[in-house]
């Protein structure tokens, strides 16, 4: 990834460019990646994840108009808060799994192929981080939202997110062609999303084993916080609240196994 720059449209692949929202944080890394998609030579574009309600950021995206359609990878506000306002601003429908974020009424489902801006964009349901998470597959790249990040690992946002679903979603991504570029919701692009998803699976298996061992050590039915204090002792405490989400999902997964 090139030097971090807010407010600058950066071309990543022949069909995908990114605008980085200025909302950095523990959960958002450098900020939310808003993706602008168009085939070479196409006048219109597709916008994925307009991001927070930041008029300056939304204005910079609107400058890429005409926009045919706005797509959401999931409903977390750092991706979706500005979506309906942006859709009205550029007179474009907003499509999402969750009806609460739609503008124009059309959803997203497995098997959908969105033909816009000279592209065919296939919807891949990838629940786990959240129940409504999806990825968008292009010819040589896949937009992964928060299912796979450009740096570090994501959380399973229990109770909406479920670990079993998340593991299946990662396995689905490992079936894509090797070398498929990952275009994440946060962090830099990934040269091979298959390798990244495989690494996530290994990490999750290791964490699950650690959580299982912690439950045995602590005895009874330990709280997620107690497990976090043991398993994540070497992790910055600012990340512990997010880790509790994932641990709750792991404890539920172990109970159901």
């Amino acid at each position: 990834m090139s030097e971090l720059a807010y407010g600058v449209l950066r071309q990543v692949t022949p069909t995908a460019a990114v605008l980085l929202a200025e909302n950095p944080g523990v959960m958002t890394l450098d900020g939310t990646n808003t993706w602008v998609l168009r085939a070479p030579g196409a006048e219109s574009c597709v916008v994925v994840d307009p991001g927070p309600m930041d008029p300056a950021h939304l204005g910079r995206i609107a400058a890429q108009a005409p926009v045919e359609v706005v797509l959401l990878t999931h409903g977390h506000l750092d991706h979706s808060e500005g979506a309906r306002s942006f859709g009205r601003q550029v007179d474009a429908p907003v499509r999402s799994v969750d009806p609460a974020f739609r503008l124009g009424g059309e959803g997203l489902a497995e098997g959908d192929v969105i033909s816009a801006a000279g592209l065919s964009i296939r919807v891949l349901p990838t629940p786990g981080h959240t129940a409504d998470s999806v990825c968008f597959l292009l010819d040589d790249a896949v937009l992964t939202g928060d299912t796979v990040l450009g740096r570090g690992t994501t959380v399973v946002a229990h109770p909406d997110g479920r670990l079993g679903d998340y593991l299946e979603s990662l396995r689905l991504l490992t079936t894509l062609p090797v070398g498929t570029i990952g275009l994440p919701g946060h962090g830099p692009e990934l040269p091979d999303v298959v390798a990244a998803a495989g690494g996530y699976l290994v990490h999750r298996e290791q964490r699950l084993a650690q959580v299982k061992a912690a439950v045995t050590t602590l005895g009874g039915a330990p709280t997620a916080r107690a497990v976090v204090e043991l398993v994540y002792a070497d992790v910055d405490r600012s990340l512990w609240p997010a880790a509790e989400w994932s641990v709750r999902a792991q404890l539920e997964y172990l109970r159901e196994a």
Side-chain angles (χ1 to χ4, degrees), residues 156-209:
V156 177
H158 184 269
D160 183 48
R162 294 175 59 86
L163 181 58
D165 291 341
Y166 186 60
L167 295 176
E168 285 303 310
S169 294
L170 292 175
R171 292 184 186 109
L172 173 63
L173 292 176
T174 65
T175 67
L176 296 178
V178 172
T180 299
I181 297 169
L183 306 177
H186 304 282
E189 58 272 13
L190 298 160
D192 185 354
V193 77
V194 174
Y200 267 40
L201 281 168
V202 171
H203 172 77
R204 289 291 168 181
E205 289 166 359
Q206 291 171 340
R207 281 296 192 209
L208 193 60

Side-chain angles (χ1 to χ4, degrees), residues 67-81:
V67 178
E68 284 196 53
V69 63
V70 179
L71 306 176
L72 294 180
T73 61
H74 65 295
H76 280 167
L77 294 183
D78 54 312
H79 296 256
S80 66
E81 185 182 29

